[in-house]
Structure formats: C-alpha cells, structure tokens
Amino acid sequence: MAKGNPIEEQNTLMANGSKTDEVEQPQGFKKFLYNKEAGTVLGRTAKSWMQITVFYIIFYTLLAAFWVGCLAIFLNTLDPKVPRFYGKGTIIGVNPGLGYQPWLKENPDSTMIKFNIRDPASYEPFVKQMDSYLEKYQNTNGTRTCTGTMSNADAAEGKTEEPCLFSLSDFEKAQCSSKNGYGFKDGKPCVILSLNRLIGWRPTDFPKESVPEQVKDRYKPGSIALHCDGTNNPDKEHIGKVTYIPQSGIDGKYYPYQFMDNYHQPIAMVKFDSLPRNQVVLVECRAFALNIEHDITSRLGLVHFEMYLQDKDPKDSTTA
C-alpha cells in the first residue's frame, strides 16, 4: 500500500475495523454476562445486585400494603346485607319482574314446557326441577309462623330477625306437589310464579274502584294477584281452564324483602287444567299491584312461556 494515499488508508482502516468487531463482539457479550476481572454479573457487582433486590422488595411490599389498605377501606363501606345502589334510578329499579318454574338449566334458551302425557321420561326433568326449587322450603329453621297482622315488615322494623315461614300446604291440597308429579302425569301441569327480590319493595293496594278486570274477582288487598292467559287470540281460545293457587295470588305478608337467614321467597302456582292435546299454547302471566308496571319490551311485571302437551305414542313424540 502506498503510504500517503488517503483512499487506501481509509479502506484498510475499514477492513481492520470490521475484522476487529467480528472478533471482539462475542467476547464483549461474554464479559457482560460475567466479567472475572471486574467481578460483575450482567454488569452488576454482588453488592449492586443486593441493593437493587432489597429496593424492589421494599417497593413492592409498600405497594401491596397500599393496595390492601385501599381495598379494606372500600370493603368497610359496603353492607353485606344491602346493595350499595338499589331502588329508583338504579339498574335494579323499583318494578319487580315475574319469573316461572320449571325452567331447565340444561336448556336455558328455551321457554317451552313440552312433555308427553304417555311418556314419564318426557316430564321427569320438569318434576326434578320443581323438586329442586322447592327443596329449600323444607328447611324451617329460624323462621316463624306469621298470622294476623304479622309480616316480614316486623323484621324490616327490627322487631325480629326471623322471616315468615312459607308453607307449601296449599299446593299439596291442590294436587301440585311432588306426590303427583306436579300434575304433569295427569296432563294438568302446575307452574310456579314468583316476583324478583327487590330490597324494601312491598305491594301497594289498588283502590276498590280501580282493581283490574282480570283479577277483580280474586283480588285481596295486601297481596299480588296473578293472571295467566294466551299471548294471542288463538292462544286465548285454547288455553282452557286455569286455576290459581292460592286464588288471591302471592300473600303480601312476606314483604318487604330484605336479607335474612333462611328467607322463604313467596310463590304462587298456576295449574293448567284443560290444555289442548298436541298443540303449542303461548302463555303470558302478569302480576298485579298498584306499583307494578307491565312492560313487554323489558319483561317487567310479566313473563312468557309456552305449554306443549303431547298425547301420542312415545316412539312418535320425538318427531313433533
């Protein structure tokens, strides 16, 4: 190489630099992992690693303590027996909805009660669901028999801590119990109706002159009357005789609802005595009290389901 030639000198330096990088790069990374001369691991000495470890232990301990403290303060503001927000203006609202049983959890999207009167296996799931739902009423510990003016309002006012006992005797007398398969085997199925639990809600009575026509002959002040009918005109024609148990509906002495041990939610039953064979009937049931509004869109104060009573050979029932 001619000395003094800047182009050749630059090329030589660039070539030498490339060779040097190729040789020293792996060696530099190894020294970063462990440098014997400096006594470092990953660029830190043992003392440095100890200091940073102690720092993060203290930091995250204080952070966790701060989080636990905030959580404890928040939980201390909650009442385990009452939701923080309920009543008017909240998602819970003040208007109860109406629910029904039997509703099979195995088929949650279906509202059809379909069974074959000749095939016990077809209505066995509904009977089991009714048994399961009513099982809690067998436990009467911590409850009291409410007679006369006694009601759950006594518990709400702090006079007692025991809820009113809800008896199933009326349903047994009306042949709506486990003993007779809740009427399914006779083609007269019984359906449970109940209101959603709303803290502090109790029914408001209709004035005598404004009781709805559908329940006028069965209405009892202080209770929630129920009425079931066909959803459409053809269904109204075919739904047949309907029996309400009890006649006056859900007794108001079981309100207002509040958190109590072994609280028995009040229910009523509707017995369909003369359903048509092999025909689907769309049913709409409504609850009546002055402070219950009916809204089809949001299903407030009412519920829809379908009844389908089959009467055919079990071998052919699966095809319908």
Side-chain angles (χ1 to χ4, degrees):
M1 179 181 67
K3 203 167 184 179
N5 189 333
I7 296 177
E8 292 184 5
E9 288 180 357
Q10 184 177 2
N11 291 339
T12 302
L13 287 172
M14 291 177 65
N16 290 339
S18 299
K19 290 179 182 177
T20 301
D21 291 341
E22 290 175 2
V23 175
E24 292 183 357
Q25 186 175 358
Q27 186 178 1
F29 182 69
K30 289 180 180 179
K31 282 191 174 183
F32 172 72
L33 291 177
Y34 175 66
N35 191 324
K36 186 177 181 180
E37 292 79 9
T40 61
V41 177
L42 297 178
R44 290 183 177 275
T45 63
K47 180 180 179 182
S48 177
W49 276 117
M50 183 183 67
Q51 289 175 336
I52 196 171
T53 301
V54 172
F55 168 79
Y56 277 111
I57 289 175
I58 296 174
F59 174 76
Y60 284 113
T61 300
L62 293 175
L63 185 63
F66 176 76
W67 182 83
V68 171
C70 290
L71 182 63
I73 293 172
F74 172 74
L75 294 177
N76 196 45
T77 65
L78 299 179
D79 187 338
K81 297 183 178 181
V82 181
R84 176 181 287 274
F85 301 108
Y86 68 93
K88 190 174 183 180
T90 67
I91 192 173
I92 297 177
V94 294
N95 197 80
L98 190 63
Y100 79 95
Q101 290 289 342
W103 174 73
L104 301 182
K105 297 179 181 178
E106 296 78 10
N107 192 11
D109 296 327
S110 175
T111 56
M112 179 176 288
I113 302 175
K114 174 185 175 182
F115 65 100
N116 186 353
I117 194 173
R118 300 191 202 174
D119 183 12
S122 68
Y123 54 78
E124 183 180 3
F126 297 110
V127 174
K128 286 185 176 179
Q129 175 59 26
M130 296 282 275
D131 283 339
S132 176
Y133 183 84
L134 296 174
E135 184 179 4
K136 57 181 176 286
Y137 293 93
Q138 304 302 326
N139 181 7
T140 59
N141 294 330
T143 61
R144 61 197 172 99
T145 302
C146 293
T147 58
T149 59
M150 298 171 64
S151 72
N152 275 350
D154 300 333
E157 296 168 2
K159 298 178 181 178
T160 180
E161 295 182 356
E162 296 181 339
C164 291
L165 167 68
F166 188 87
S167 174
L168 302 179
S169 59
D170 288 342
F171 307 130
E172 295 174 356
K173 294 176 183 177
Q175 302 299 308
C176 284
S177 67
S178 184
K179 294 179 181 179
N180 72 318
Y182 302 99
F184 280 90
K185 66 179 182 180
D186 301 321
K188 300 179 180 181
C190 303
V191 175
I192 296 173
L193 296 177
S194 62
L195 292 178
N196 293 350
R197 298 181 182 184
L198 294 181
I199 296 290
W201 185 90
R202 65 178 71 186
T204 301
D205 294 342
F206 286 108
K208 290 183 179 180
E209 64 278 1
S210 62
V211 177
E213 197 65 33
Q214 301 99 311
V215 296
K216 196 170 186 178
D217 59 334
R218 298 182 288 105
Y219 181 70
K220 175 183 175 183
S223 296
I224 301 100
L226 300 167
H227 179 74
C228 295
D229 204 349
T231 303
N232 306 307
N233 287 332
D235 302 306
K236 295 178 187 295
E237 295 177 5
H238 296 106
I239 194 171
K241 180 184 176 184
V242 178
T243 301
Y244 302 93
I245 312 162
Q247 282 287 317
S248 57
I250 301 175
D251 198 321
K253 70 182 178 182
Y254 298 99
Y255 295 94
Y257 164 70
Q258 65 176 30
F259 182 85
M260 290 181 285
D261 292 335
N262 204 22
Y263 171 79
H264 286 177
Q265 183 178 8
I267 61 174
M269 286 195 189
V270 181
K271 187 176 183 181
F272 297 89
D273 293 301
S274 54
L275 285 172
R277 266 42 173 181
N278 306 313
Q279 181 175 338
V280 177
V281 179
L282 278 64
V283 181
E284 178 185 272
C285 294
R286 298 193 175 206
F288 287 87
L290 186 62
N291 55 339
I292 296 180
E293 297 180 4
H294 300 129
D295 189 333
I296 296 177
T297 304
S298 56
R299 301 296 178 90
L300 290 177
L302 54 87
V303 68
H304 288 92
F305 54 89
E306 301 81 37
M307 301 295 299
Y308 187 12
L309 169 57
Q310 294 180 318
D311 187 3
K312 56 180 65 176
D313 190 291
K315 297 179 182 178
D316 302 327
S317 62
T318 56
T319 61

